[in-house]
Amino acid sequence: MSIPAWRAAKEGLYSLVLGTVLLIGFPMMGARAEVASASAFYRASKAEIAGKPGTLARIQSVPPPPGAAAAYRIIYRSRGHSGSILISGLVAIPSLTGSDGPRPIVSWGHGTTGIASSCAPSFHPEEGFENIAGLKGLLAKKYLVVATDYQGLGEDGRTGYLEGVGEARAMIDAARAIRQIPGVRVASRYATWGFSQGGHASLFAGAVGRGYAPDMLLVGVAAVSAPTELLPLMKADIGTIGGDVIASYVAWSWSKAYNAPLTAILNSRAAATVRRIAKACSLNFTEDIALGLESLAFQNEGFLKDNAAKQEEWQRLIARNSVPILRVPVFMAQGQLDVYVKTDITRDYVRRLCQANTDVIYREFPLTTHGGAAMASSEQAVEWLDARFSNRSLPTTCK
């Protein structure tokens, strides 16, 4: 089963598998890829950190995915809360001829893999490429594809899980960086496309792209299964197995990125569980089971304090990282059986985009889960991205 197919199937099987694991036992898995995280490629020196955002620091060839002529693992510079940072990622180069001219870029944002440095998709290029929705179609249309790991994954540093501006910069600077790959003619036009956490990042790129990277032309942003309005999403998800894992990632990440006090919102008995979850990845089925088992502890010890929703600092962070209304063209897709990102919340955000006269196309898929929507929407997303690069207009769904 491909990784996207596993992502689609796991939601409906979660309870059944957890029950089986509790009966027969299963080895607990923490963050994986420790050998990869210690490799020389990822051990960048402090001297390499300084530099202009969007510039390459390191590049390494990796086996190309189907449809690609070449592929690379890269480390590039971006901007974090406290200055210049390094971020890793993957690049897929299509087969090009001398007559093709400079090619546009699609910057991909992956779904949740964890917040520890060992949770980077670039550690495992074959799986990382396999998880890019619509990759074969994009390469067939001769678009260059770059996939960021986000801040803190791959390269050590404070992670920025669902931290909108930082994720957006990671996607934008990845597109900038691949323009420096030797022997490849790359245009300044780019689009962003992401799933789940990556959808959140892609939409934020639409909010900050033109101001942050005036040297690049953002033609549109595409997102599937994307969290947009975080407060109602968190209220709906906390208390579920997956929701508690995601909330743990958010709480731990924001406490580091913004110096927000965990003690203000976390039940004291839950702190140890949150710390363990923060060190674990969600890169395969085994790791997801381990995370699910860890989150079961919240059923006994509780998770949030009773007054957590009234903590003003955390309320401000939730508002700050909820997706604003965009002025660039948007493609959004949503599965009606999504148990993590509720359909009515996505509909409400799309409705507000339409009210703001944003050029938006929204696709909703019945009998489709969170991960299933990424597969179901990939062909339409590729068609929409191709239309944006070709200056073709597709009918908005607002009417």
Side-chain angles (χ1 to χ4, degrees):
M1 180 183 294
S2 69
I3 288 181
W6 151 64
R7 291 277 183 192
K10 75 173 184 177
E11 297 158 39
L13 295 174
Y14 226 145
S15 297
L16 174 62
V17 174
L18 277 175
T20 303
V21 169
L22 290 171
L23 287 173
I24 66 174
F26 209 93
M28 295 294 289
M29 299 286 289
R32 75 178 194 169
E34 293 301 325
V35 174
S37 67
S39 70
F41 182 78
Y42 291 91
R43 288 201 298 266
S45 67
K46 290 184 178 179
E48 291 177 279
I49 298 176
K52 186 178 179 181
T55 54
L56 268 178
R58 294 187 176 192
I59 184 169
Q60 181 184 72
S61 294
V62 297
Y72 303 96
R73 178 187 283 128
I74 62 171
I75 294 177
Y76 62 95
R77 298 174 183 89
S78 189
R79 195 168 79 198
H81 288 287
S82 56
S84 184
I85 57 173
L86 293 176
I87 300 178
S88 51
L90 293 170
V91 182
I93 306 294
S95 297
L96 300 172
T97 65
S99 61
D100 283 322
R103 299 304 302 160
I105 308 158
V106 174
S107 186
W108 165 258
H110 65 76
T112 299
T113 61
I115 60 174
S117 62
S118 56
C119 302
S122 71
F123 287 149
H124 308 273
E126 182 179 358
E127 295 177 0
F129 284 126
E130 189 178 26
N131 208 27
I132 299 176
L135 176 61
K136 288 183 180 179
L138 293 170
L139 293 173
K141 294 181 181 296
K142 298 190 177 183
Y143 296 124
L144 288 84
V145 180
V146 61
T148 181
D149 286 335
Y150 308 129
Q151 178 181 353
L153 306 189
E155 286 298 314
D156 288 333
R158 292 188 298 182
T159 187
Y161 183 71
L162 292 187
E163 194 271 293
V165 172
E167 290 175 336
R169 289 173 179 169
M171 294 188 76
I172 295 165
D173 286 329
R176 282 169 148 175
I178 67 171
R179 301 186 69 201
Q180 300 165 39
I181 296 177
V184 181
R185 300 176 66 192
V186 188
S188 60
R189 293 184 301 149
Y190 76 108
T192 60
W193 161 227
F195 161 66
S196 193
Q197 178 190 2
H200 180 262
S202 179
L203 293 171
F204 258 95
V208 306
R210 291 177 177 174
Y212 179 68
D215 54 311
M216 303 285 285
L217 176 60
L218 180 62
V219 302
V221 299
V224 56
S225 307
T228 52
E229 300 167 4
L230 297 189
L231 183 59
L233 281 172
M234 289 181 180
K235 286 182 177 179
D237 289 351
I238 289 178
T240 67
I241 292 174
D244 286 347
V245 170
I246 291 170
S248 296
Y249 283 157
V250 169
W252 187 265
S253 178
W254 289 4
S255 73
K256 304 302 180 183
Y258 301 111
N259 295 316
L262 283 174
T263 53
I265 59 168
L266 280 189
N267 185 313
S268 60
R269 293 172 296 176
T273 301
V274 170
R275 189 177 301 110
R276 289 194 299 271
I277 289 174
K279 296 178 180 178
C281 299
S282 176
L283 284 161
N284 59 39
F285 194 66
T286 300
E287 290 173 344
D288 274 0
I289 294 302
L291 283 166
L293 291 172
E294 288 282 13
S295 73
L296 289 177
F298 293 132
Q299 305 302 313
N300 297 322
E301 64 197 16
F303 184 30
L304 297 179
K305 290 181 175 179
D306 292 339
N307 64 343
K310 299 179 181 179
Q311 296 300 315
E312 291 185 3
E313 183 172 1
W314 286 89
Q315 285 180 332
R316 286 194 297 270
L317 292 178
I318 290 172
R320 176 177 178 174
N321 291 297
S322 293
V323 182
I325 298 301
L326 307 182
R327 303 301 178 186
V328 298
V330 177
F331 172 92
M332 290 192 68
Q334 171 76 32
Q336 290 183 354
L337 297 185
D338 194 326
V339 298
Y340 301 123
V341 176
K342 305 303 182 185
T343 304
D344 59 339
I345 297 174
T346 300
R347 288 174 182 168
D348 179 71
Y349 178 73
V350 171
R351 187 179 302 114
R352 293 195 293 119
L353 287 179
C354 290
Q355 290 172 347
N357 295 318
T358 301
D359 183 349
V360 57
I361 289 180
Y362 176 56
R363 297 286 184 253
E364 202 169 282
F365 297 89
L367 303 177
T368 305
T369 62
H370 185 74
M375 293 185 293
S377 65
S378 62
E379 289 187 9
Q380 294 184 38
V382 170
E383 178 188 4
W384 183 84
L385 290 165
D386 187 51
R388 294 303 312 157
F389 286 125
S390 303
N391 295 318
R392 289 184 289 111
S393 295
L394 298 177
T396 178
T397 54
C398 287
K399 296 180 181 180

